[in-house]
């Protein structure tokens, strides 16, 4: 999926927020960067991995 | 004792002087209020001081002491806090226009616990708008300024906490740390700062930014003071479901133990990428101090943190956007352009991406502990890799280049939030331009005791934390 300024503006609009076109362009660029930087790590996540595992891991790692 | 002598005391030393009746609570409060008024025109570190109420409370504290009643270890110590800790019936501006008249309907657990320990709040401090900026800028209340050079940033979001503590205008202050907001102002302003493990300190009654990452902690003159304050505010709280139930160790006792044999890791990757030479030298000098104290300093490989930083940015953006969505719709024009830009970005992050960022945290922590904390007890690193920029250089509003500046500023602090680690920040020297250099010591989850012990040992062996700006 390509994050375009038009897509971002539409998502914001659907939530009742209007972004000016210049800002929608920088929003799209930033979100695309975040998605790209995290894609490989997300790609390696196990099927069963869940958010609450973090708190369990935090407690397990305590000295 | 003169007002100047009182102001130079740490919280621990002032509390002792008050208990021993060498200083009265009123004397300490008058000194703090006078100093706050003297520095405010230059630093803009206070949103408000509550002189009449604070002096009245100081008088009550003195009369309690006369009757032999000591409230707790901070009896009579004046403090001001980041203006995001709610006190029932009182406005917390959160550095924002939107809530500038909104009175709190509850009191933050951290404030209740500091009250119970005897501390007296005399004011509230500047902060980034809704705590979502690492620079210390604020368009609504004016930029907060660095006491070492008022043309330079304080770091944020706990800008006033760093500035006022360094300027000896408060003995300590609560800050909050979601992506570095305690450690950055501590580093830029030359104070000590402490970010506890996520969940160690209750967030109840503290303004939310990102509920998965927010932590409550102090900025103070010394690491020992940080320990004293965290000891008072940590622990289970039924008002915060994420507050950890495990017992709080005695930090003040363990802090005095030797660090001989402690293993301190110096990361080979990430933390020194593009690091300023003076900062690198200061980190080497700090590590030499730890070696001299008997610690073993080991070069270590650490996992790639760039994906974790991106995932952390996803979490903070999405959660902040969620809590601000109603105001964004109804009062979007009342946000500063930069914050509005950042919140809008969060609204457009896909839900699956946000959830994957949360799913990654457990995996990342497991990996980090197995790769790093199996070899060392602490990780030592700079807080930032560059010299303190000016306010003008970083006043970028919603221009496209703002994102890169914000990302660069929090690059070395965000991994600690993503992994939820306890981290102390302390002054490790000064640049040739006279600006403080901050180091951070990261420990394994819930091992605040070791982190604080190492920071305290460093300060017992060095003098950097005693340096005060001439303002």
């Amino acid at each position: 999926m390509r994050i375009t300024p038009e897509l971002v503006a539409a998502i914001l609009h659907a939530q009742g927020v209007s972004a000016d076109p210049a800002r929608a362009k920088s929003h799209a660029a930033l979100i695309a960067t975040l998605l790209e930087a995290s894609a490989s790590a997300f790609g390696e996540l196990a099927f069963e991995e869940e958010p609450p595992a973090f708190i369990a891991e935090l407690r397990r790692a305590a000295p | 004792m003169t007002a100047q002598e009182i102001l130079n005391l740490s919280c621990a030393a002032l509390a002792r002087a008050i208990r021993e009746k060498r200083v009265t609570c009123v004397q300490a409060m008058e000194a703090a209020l006078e100093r706050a008024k003297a520095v405010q025109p230059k630093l803009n570190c206070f949103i408000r001081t509550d002189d009449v109420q604070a002096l009245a409370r100081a008088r009550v504290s003195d009369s309690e002491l006369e009757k032999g009643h000591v409230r707790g270890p901070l009896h009579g110590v004046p403090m001001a806090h980041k203006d995001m800790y709610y006190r029932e019936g009182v406005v917390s501006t959160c550095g924002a226009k939107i809530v500038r008249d909104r009175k709190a309907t509850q009191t933050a657990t951290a404030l209740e616990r500091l009250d119970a320990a005897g501390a007296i709040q005399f004011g509230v401090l500047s902060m980034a708008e809704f705590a979502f900026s690492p620079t210390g800028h604020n368009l609504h209340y004016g930029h907060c300024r660095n006491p070492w050079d008022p043309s330079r940033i304080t770091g944020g979001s706990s800008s006033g906490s760093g500035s006022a503590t360094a300027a000896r205008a408060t003995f300590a202050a609560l800050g909050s740390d979601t992506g570095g907001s305690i450690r950055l102002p501590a580093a830029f302003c030359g104070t000590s700062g402490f970010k506890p493990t996520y969940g160690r300190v209750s967030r109840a009654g503290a303004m939310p930014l990102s509920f998965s990452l927010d932590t409550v902690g102090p900025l103070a003159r010394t690491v020992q003071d940080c320990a004293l304050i965290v000891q008072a505010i940590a622990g289970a709280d039924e008002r915060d479901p994420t507050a950890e139930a495990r017992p709080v160790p005695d930090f003040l006792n363990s802090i005095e133990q030797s660090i001989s044999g402690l293993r301190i890791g110096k990361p080979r990757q990430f933390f020194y990428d593009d690091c300023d030479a003076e900062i690198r030298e200061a980190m080497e000098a700090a590590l030499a101090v730890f070696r001299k104290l008997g610690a073993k300093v080991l070069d270590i490989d650490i996992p790639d943190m760039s994906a974790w930083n991106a995932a952390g940015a996803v979490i903070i953006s999405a959660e902040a956007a969620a809590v601000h969505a109603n105001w964004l719709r109804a009062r979007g024009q009342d946000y500063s352009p930069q914050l509005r830009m950042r919140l809008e970005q969060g609204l457009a992050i896909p839900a699956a991406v946000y959830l994957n960022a949360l799913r990654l945290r457990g995996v990342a922590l497991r990996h980090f502990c197995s790769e790093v904390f199996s070899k060392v007890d602490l990780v030592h690193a700079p807080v930032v890799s560059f010299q303190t920029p000016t306010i003008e250089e970083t006043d970028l509003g919603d221009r496209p280049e703002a994102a890169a500046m914000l990302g660069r500023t929090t690059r070395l602090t965000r991994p600690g939030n993503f992994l939820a680690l306890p981290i102390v920040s302390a002054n490790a020297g000064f640049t040739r331009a006279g600006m403080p250099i901050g180091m951070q010591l990261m420990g394994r989850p819930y091992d605040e005791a070791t982190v604080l012990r190492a920071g305290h040992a460093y300060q017992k062996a060095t003098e950097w934390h005693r340096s005060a700006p001439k303002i």
Side-chain angles (χ1 to χ4, degrees):
Chain A
M1 181 176 71
R2 229 178 108 236
I3 306 288
T4 63
E6 294 75 22
L7 177 62
V8 170
I11 292 169
L12 292 181
H13 183 72
Q15 295 176 83
V17 175
S18 59
D20 72 49
R23 276 222 295 263
K25 193 175 168 191
S26 63
H27 295 346
L30 183 97
I31 294 166
T33 303
L34 292 178
L35 263 57
E36 192 182 334
S38 53
S40 72
F42 291 168
E44 290 169 12
L45 284 169
F47 178 63
E48 295 82 4
E49 204 65 52
E50 294 181 358
F54 177 66
I55 295 297
E57 198 59 44
L58 206 55
R59 290 177 178 148
R60 202 183 66 80
Chain B
M1 211 178 278
T2 65
Q4 189 56 52
E5 286 169 337
I6 293 171
L7 290 170
N8 278 329
L9 295 173
S10 66
C11 292
L14 175 61
R16 196 180 319 118
I18 288 172
R19 284 195 299 274
E20 292 169 357
K21 299 186 179 167
R22 288 182 283 121
V23 177
T24 68
C25 302
V26 168
Q27 282 175 324
M29 186 58 74
E30 284 174 343
L33 288 167
E34 193 179 319
R35 180 68 177 158
K37 279 170 185 48
V39 302
Q40 177 65 6
K42 296 169 194 160
L43 303 180
N44 191 36
C45 48
F46 284 85
I47 298 273
R48 187 185 73 242
T49 56
D50 300 315
D51 303 34
V52 175
Q53 287 162 304
L55 282 167
R57 282 196 60 202
R59 280 191 285 274
V60 170
S61 295
D62 275 332
S63 70
E64 287 172 342
L65 207 55
E66 281 302 315
K67 292 170 192 155
H69 174 59
V70 178
R71 281 185 185 227
L74 293 165
H75 190 102
V77 176
M79 289 186 191
H81 304 298
K82 186 176 186 177
D83 196 14
M84 55 166 272
Y85 290 96
Y86 304 158
R87 195 174 281 283
E88 189 178 357
V90 178
V91 169
S92 289
T93 68
C94 303
K97 180 180 178 184
I98 288 175
V99 293
R100 72 185 320 156
D101 299 315
R102 182 172 177 254
K103 288 183 179 172
T105 56
Q106 58 173 316
T107 299
T109 296
L111 291 188
E112 286 179 344
R113 290 179 179 176
L114 286 174
D115 292 346
I120 305 176
Q121 184 178 356
F122 69 93
V124 288
L125 297 165
S126 301
M127 58 182 284
E129 184 181 7
F130 287 118
F132 202 9
S133 167
T135 60
H137 294 89
N138 191 305
L139 289 185
H140 306 299
Y141 298 88
H143 301 329
C144 187
R145 295 178 178 274
N146 193 312
W148 295 94
D149 176 351
S151 73
R152 295 182 190 273
I153 66 165
T154 55
S157 62
S158 311
S159 49
S161 304
S163 180
T165 302
R168 274 52 180 166
T170 182
F171 290 89
L174 287 179
S176 67
D177 197 316
T178 305
S181 288
I182 287 174
R183 289 162 286 155
L184 289 165
F188 285 130
C189 295
T191 74
S192 306
F194 185 64
K195 173 213 159 311
T197 309
Y198 176 82
R200 179 63 97 179
V201 177
S202 169
R203 297 173 298 112
M207 182 212 79
L209 171 60
S210 171
F211 37 79
S212 297
L213 300 170
D214 292 340
T215 54
V216 172
L219 290 92
R221 315 273 175 78
T222 66
V223 172
Q224 185 184 35
D225 281 357
C226 290
L228 188 58
I229 292 166
V230 174
Q231 191 79 60
I233 63 177
D237 181 12
E238 60 185 21
R239 294 169 61 204
D240 177 0
T242 66
E244 177 60 35
R246 73 181 54 231
V248 180
D250 184 344
F251 301 134
L252 293 167
N253 185 30
S254 61
I255 203 171
E256 296 295 344
Q257 291 167 12
S258 165
I259 63 161
S260 182
L262 203 68
R263 299 166 302 166
I264 298 179
K266 181 193 170 194
R268 287 195 183 96
Q269 298 86 10
F270 187 78
F271 284 97
Y272 287 94
D273 297 349
D274 301 319
C275 186
D276 179 271
E278 284 188 72
I279 293 172
R280 189 184 288 268
E281 284 165 25
M283 294 304 109
E284 285 301 329
L287 289 169
V289 171
F290 284 116
R291 280 191 200 95
K292 208 170 165 187
L293 290 168
K296 292 175 188 161
V297 176
L298 306 165
D299 289 327
I300 50 162
D301 292 315
I302 58 164
D304 179 15
M305 298 208 162
S306 48
W308 300 354
N309 257 351
V314 163
I315 294 170
I316 191 170
S317 297
E319 292 185 357
V323 299
H324 283 275
N326 291 339
W327 283 329
L328 264 179
R329 275 188 287 273
R331 299 185 59 180
Q333 73 285 357
D334 289 337
Y335 288 96
S336 66
Q338 187 178 91
L339 181 57
R340 186 173 172 178
M341 173 186 78
R342 299 186 76 188
L343 293 172
E344 285 177 1
Q345 287 162 355
L347 279 185
I349 288 174
V353 172
Y354 166 66
L355 287 167
N356 276 339
L358 291 177
R359 292 172 73 220
L360 181 63
R361 289 184 87 191
V363 178
L365 181 60
R366 201 177 312 138
H367 188 44
F368 192 81
C369 288
S370 107
E371 291 293 308
V372 176
F373 287 130
S374 60
K375 301 181 181 80
V376 295
D377 303 299
L378 296 171
V379 176
H380 178 276
V383 176
V384 287
S385 59
F386 53 88
Q387 302 224 4
T388 313
T390 64
I391 290 172
E392 193 182 349
E393 284 166 347
T394 47
D395 200 2
L396 301 176
D398 60 351
R399 281 155 45 191
E401 57 268 39
M405 180 274 293
L406 295 168
R408 182 171 176 248
T409 306
T410 55
R411 183 173 175 273
L412 306 188
T413 51
R414 259 186 292 150
N417 298 88
F418 188 69
L419 298 170
L421 306 176
I423 307 172
V424 76
S425 167
N427 189 6
F430 290 84
T431 65
R432 278 185 278 282
M435 298 306 293
I437 298 172
M439 66 176 185
Q440 52 181 339
L441 286 163
M442 295 167 254
R444 62 169 55 240
Y446 301 112
D447 195 11
E448 282 87 1
T450 301
V451 172
L452 291 164
R453 178 159 58 102
H456 179 57
Y458 176 81
Q459 291 189 331
K460 280 201 293 185
T462 57
E463 295 289 324
W464 301 119
H465 62 290
R466 297 189 199 282
S467 304
K470 291 178 178 53
I471 188 128

